[in-house]
Amino acid sequence: AFGMPASAPRDIVSFDIKAPTDEAKKVRVNVKQDIHGIISLSSAQMVEEIEEEAKPAEAGKEEAKAPEGEKPAEEKKKVKVKRTNLEYTLTRPMDWSQEEMTKANEQEVAMANNDRVVKETADMRNELESYIYDMRDKISSESQLGGYATSAEKEAFLAKNTEIENWLYEDGFDATKKVYAEKLGELKALGGPSEMRASEAKARPAATTALQQNIEKYKTWFSNAQGDEKYAHITDEEFTKCHAKCDEVSSWVYEMLDKQGSLAANADPAFKVVDINNKNIELTNLCSPVMHKPVPKKKEEPKEEAKKEEKPAEDAQPMDTEDAKPAEDAQ
């Protein structure tokens, strides 16, 4: 049942609780089931009800209060519940040993790796197949890649393309990923040059325009800034260096454009877009710091404290004092 072999045990889990065997006792167990359906025993307790005897002093007091000739009412004895935790053991017949779990984990990893290899192989096969069909049409069309490949390059590519296509649907149908990658590399080695030339021809005008606009921007700014007092903090040496760099890059652009203009579309370019972008970066790194050079702050001269002139204290004038005249002799 449940897809298990016939020899599999039917018990899921068993609990052995160590309780006294001399007499019957109540045992309370707490069983839990988690979200995965695993059953576990959280606690086992022996429950006993113990009657407490009345204290002697309290018994004599009650008898004294009872009327003569009548028996005192029987006092209800208090019942105390005592709970004792019991030891228990848990047995799961269907539990796996550590060795079994390790073996199953290794099998799972092996299956996952096998699935990954199958997927990667299928992806590489699809990539090769797509390249065969896509490039066969493009390189045969003069409006796409045909104009960027020589006759010899077209013949070599189409011959290799047909050869690999036939192989793909015959001996190469169950080839490995590595073999598919090698076949794709052989085709790209023949079709790559024409793809590169087409890509360069498409991106070259925008890159060239961006560089020429950058050159013109710096030249215009430098010519205006040299007579402006606002940029008096820029030295003549800095202006000269930037002008020279602009002239150098501008000359390089026109030289490369002249060389490129003399080449056919199916020839390798005289310069690449990456070269244009590098020249643009060089120009910006040299001229931009000069263009945005901050005006140096004026040094604040320390304020001289006004010297307080101290007037010399006037010499104290001695006070005229009259000597006490001697008292006249009494007549």
Side-chain angles (χ1 to χ4, degrees), residues 44-56:
Q45 294 179 331
M46 183 174 64
V47 182
E48 298 176 278
E49 294 183 353
I50 302 174
E51 295 181 351
E52 292 184 344
E53 297 182 357
K55 296 180 180 179

Side-chain angles (χ1 to χ4, degrees), residues 65-278:
K65 289 183 179 180
E68 294 181 2
E70 295 183 8
K71 294 182 179 180
E74 293 184 1
E75 183 183 1
K76 293 182 180 179
K77 295 182 179 180
K78 295 181 179 179
V79 178
K80 182 179 180 181
V81 178
K82 179 182 178 183
R83 293 180 175 85
T84 306
N85 290 328
L86 301 176
E87 295 182 359
Y88 61 88
T89 56
L90 181 148
T91 305
R92 297 185 186 275
M94 301 180 69
D95 267 2
W96 285 7
S97 65
Q98 185 62 42
E99 182 180 355
E100 290 174 324
M101 287 190 289
T102 302
K103 183 179 179 180
N105 184 59
E106 291 175 352
Q107 291 175 344
E108 182 182 8
V109 172
M111 288 187 291
N113 287 335
N114 184 64
D115 291 343
R116 177 182 55 79
V117 171
V118 170
K119 183 181 182 304
E120 291 178 355
T121 302
D123 291 343
M124 183 57 67
R125 186 180 188 279
N126 291 336
E127 186 177 352
L128 173 60
E129 188 176 25
S130 299
Y131 192 82
I132 289 172
Y133 290 123
D134 186 52
M135 284 295 293
R136 180 177 61 189
D137 296 336
K138 285 183 177 180
I139 208 164
S140 301
S141 173
E142 291 296 321
S143 61
Q144 297 186 53
L145 296 180
Y148 298 97
T150 63
S151 298
E153 289 173 337
K154 289 180 185 179
E155 292 176 4
F157 178 83
L158 291 174
K160 178 61 71 173
N161 196 68
T162 302
E163 175 190 335
I164 293 179
E165 181 182 3
N166 294 334
W167 168 86
L168 182 63
Y169 296 111
E170 294 175 2
D171 298 337
F173 189 80
D174 294 325
T176 62
K177 173 187 172 183
K178 181 180 179 182
V179 175
Y180 288 140
E182 290 174 353
K183 296 293 183 181
L184 182 61
E186 292 178 18
L187 281 179
K188 286 188 174 182
L190 297 174
S194 58
E195 290 182 291
M196 180 270 295
R197 294 166 193 153
S199 176
E200 288 291 327
K202 182 179 180 180
R204 188 182 304 115
T208 304
T209 300
L211 178 56
Q212 289 175 328
Q213 289 176 348
N214 213 18
I215 294 171
E216 188 62 28
K217 178 185 73 172
Y218 288 123
K219 281 187 173 182
T220 302
W221 183 84
F222 290 139
S223 61
N224 294 335
Q226 282 182 312
D228 194 338
E229 287 295 329
K230 188 167 69 170
Y231 302 104
H233 59 285
I234 299 176
T235 63
D236 292 339
E237 182 182 355
E238 290 173 324
F239 278 119
T240 302
K241 187 186 298 184
C242 292
H243 271 298
K245 189 63 177 179
C246 288
D247 293 340
E248 174 193 334
V249 175
S250 180
S251 299
W252 177 84
V253 171
Y254 287 115
E255 180 183 355
M256 292 297 105
L257 289 176
D258 288 342
K259 288 183 179 180
Q260 186 62 40
S262 62
L263 296 175
N266 56 14
D268 288 338
F271 65 121
K272 295 184 177 181
V273 173
V274 65
D275 300 326
I276 301 173
N277 293 336
N278 288 338

